Amino acid sequence: MSDSVERIKTLIIGSGPAGYTAAIYASRADLKPVLYTGMEPGGQLTTTTEVDNFPGYPEGVDGPSMMVQLQQQAERFGTEVRIGMITSIELSDKVGGIHKAVVDNNKEIEAEAVIISTGATARYLGLESEQRLRGGGVSACAVCDGFFYKGQDVAIVGAGDTAAEEASYLANICNKVTMLVRRDEMRASKAMQHRVNSIKNIEIKYNTEVDEVLGDQVVEGLRIVNNQTGEKEEIAITGLFVAIGHKPNTDIFKGQLDMDETGYLITKGKSTKTNKPGVFAAGDVQDKEYRQAVTAAGTGCMAALDAERYLASNE
Ligand code: NDP
C-alpha cells in the first residue's frame, strides 16, 4: 500500500452512462469529481455495436464512440478520469463523514461523497463459440440489438421475465423467435408466460440448452440439445440473444449497503440515496428493470444533484 492518502470531494466509481453523466453534472457544480473507470472503461455499451435508441443521435452511434464522447464531455468540465479499480471501500455512517476507498489494492483515497455507478454484468452461457461470436450475432440485449435482425430468425436463451419480455419484443421485429428453456417450465411471471405463449411466431422449446453456436464470423445457426433425451438438433438462426440474468457489480459494498436478494443496491424513494449518508447509486447497479443507457444517464444526473445538495448542507 502506498503511504500517501489523497483527499477528494467526490468519488465516482464506474464509467458507463450513469458515471459519466454524474461526472458532467458534478464537475459543472464544482464537486471536483474523480472518476475511476473500473475494469471495463465505458461499461457495457462498449460491447454494443450500434446504439440507435439514445436521444440526440438521429443516425445512431457506435457504443465505444459514444462512451468516448461522454468521457470528453465530463473532462471538459474538469472531471478527472482515471483508469483503475476500486478494490475495497469503507463507507462512513456519519453525516459529513469521510469514505475511504482503495484503488487497485494499492492507493488510498478519501472522499466526502461517493457516487456508485458500477453497473451490472450480463451473464453468458460460457461456451467458446458464444464468446467468439459476441458482436457477430450473439447479444445480451434485445432492445439494443434486436433491430438488426428485422425479418430474420433468432433464438433467445432464458426463461425469466427478461427473456419473456425480450422474446415478445423480438417477435415484433423478427420473423421467428425460438425460446430455449432449460427446465420443463419457465421462471417468468404467469402473465409474461401467457404473453409469450400467445404470440404465434415464438416457439418455446423446453428442456433445451445450447450445445454450440454455429458460424465462423457471424452466427449462422445453433446446435441445441434436449437435456432429457440427449437428442441434438441444428436450427438456422442469425441472432442469439442470451437473457439468463445480470450480476450487479456490488461485491465490495456487501455488508455496508442495503441490497436486494440478488445484490442490486437499494435507493431511497425517488432519490439515489443509499443507506449511508453521502453515498449515492445510479445506473444498472440499482436498476434491474429498465437497464437502458438513457435511464442510467438520468439517474447519474440525479446522483450528482443529490450529492451536490448533500455536500452543500454539510458546509
Ligand atoms: P432471472 O434470474 O429471473 O432468470 C434467469 C433465467 O435464465 C432463468 O429462467 C434461468 O433458468 C435461466 N438460466 C440461467 N442460467 C442459464 C443457463 N446457463 N442456461 C439456460 N438458462 C439459464 O433473470 P431476469 O433477468 O429474467 O430477471 C431478473 C429480475 O428482474 C427478476 O426478479 C425479474 O422478475 C425482474 N424483471 C422484471 C421485469 C418486469 O417486471 N417487467 C422485466 C425484467 C426483469 P432457471 O429458471 O432454470 O433457473
Side-chain angles (χ1 to χ4, degrees):
M1 191 82 67
S2 69
D3 21 87
S4 63
V5 178
E6 183 186 7
R7 170 73 73 93
I8 62 168
K9 200 162 179 178
T10 308
L11 171 65
I12 299 177
I13 314 174
S15 55
Y20 280 133
T21 306
I24 292 165
Y25 274 78
S27 45
R28 283 170 58 87
D30 209 23
L31 307 188
K32 310 225 171 340
V34 173
L35 180 151
Y36 277 92
T37 59
M39 288 270 273
E40 191 178 44
Q44 288 184 78
L45 270 191
T46 55
T47 62
T48 310
T49 41
E50 193 83 357
V51 180
D52 272 338
N53 53 10
F54 200 92
Y57 292 96
E59 307 301 327
V61 58
D62 70 281
S65 305
M66 184 180 156
M67 297 320 298
V68 169
Q69 290 176 348
L70 277 173
Q71 177 175 345
Q72 287 168 345
Q73 195 173 352
E75 286 175 333
R76 184 176 142 216
F77 300 111
T79 300
E80 203 178 313
V81 177
R82 299 181 186 166
I83 307 280
M85 182 88 184
I86 303 298
T87 42
S88 62
I89 195 157
E90 204 182 299
L91 299 168
S92 169
D93 288 316
K94 292 197 202 92
V95 173
I98 294 298
H99 310 288
K100 297 175 181 174
V102 176
V103 184
D104 295 329
N105 294 310
N106 177 34
K107 179 185 161 62
E108 282 184 83
I109 199 158
E110 294 184 342
E112 294 169 42
V114 178
I115 295 174
I116 299 167
S117 46
T118 46
T121 306
R123 291 184 203 273
Y124 282 88
L125 299 167
L127 298 169
E128 183 280 324
S129 52
E130 170 206 49
Q131 291 306 306
R132 181 167 44 80
L133 290 164
R134 272 174 67 177
V138 174
S139 164
C141 179
V143 179
C144 318
D145 299 327
F147 183 75
F148 303 113
Y149 303 91
K150 198 170 177 181
Q152 301 174 34
D153 289 357
V154 300
I156 183 159
V157 191
D161 282 324
T162 302
E165 203 165 83
E166 295 200 339
S168 47
Y169 178 85
L170 290 167
N172 261 327
I173 304 168
C174 303
N175 178 54
K176 182 183 172 188
V177 180
T178 304
M179 191 169 179
L180 306 173
V181 176
R182 68 177 171 182
R183 289 186 292 133
D184 59 358
E185 60 174 2
M186 281 190 213
R187 180 184 293 273
S189 64
K190 286 280 176 272
M192 287 306 298
Q193 291 191 37
H194 180 69
R195 191 153 136 204
V196 288
N197 278 315
S198 66
I199 299 175
K200 289 204 171 55
N201 61 340
I202 298 180
E203 182 189 356
I204 305 170
K205 286 182 180 286
Y206 290 96
N207 295 315
T208 304
E209 294 177 43
V210 178
D211 191 46
E212 180 94 51
V213 189
L214 307 172
D216 235 7
Q217 305 290 320
V218 292
V219 172
E220 290 165 11
L222 281 187
R223 187 165 62 238
I224 54 178
V225 57
N226 181 307
N227 57 26
Q228 299 300 299
T229 62
E231 199 178 311
K232 293 186 181 176
E233 179 193 350
E234 287 188 4
I235 58 171
I237 51 143
T238 50
L240 172 66
F241 292 88
V242 183
I244 61 171
H246 285 74
K247 185 184 180 300
N249 300 317
T250 54
D251 286 352
I252 60 168
F253 309 110
K254 277 193 179 130
Q256 301 190 68
L257 292 181
D258 291 344
M259 299 177 188
D260 72 7
E261 66 291 348
T262 46
Y264 284 88
L265 297 183
I266 294 173
T267 50
K268 291 184 184 167
K270 284 185 181 172
S271 79
T272 62
K273 293 175 189 166
T274 67
N275 54 306
K276 300 272 186 193
V279 181
F280 308 92
D284 286 12
V285 74
Q286 51 83 58
D287 170 24
K288 64 181 172 194
E289 206 168 320
Y290 299 104
R291 294 198 303 246
Q292 299 303 300
V294 67
T295 52
T299 54
C301 157
M302 288 162 62
L305 295 177
D306 285 341
E308 184 183 357
R309 284 173 198 145
Y310 167 81
L311 291 168
S313 69
N314 296 336
E315 267 167 13

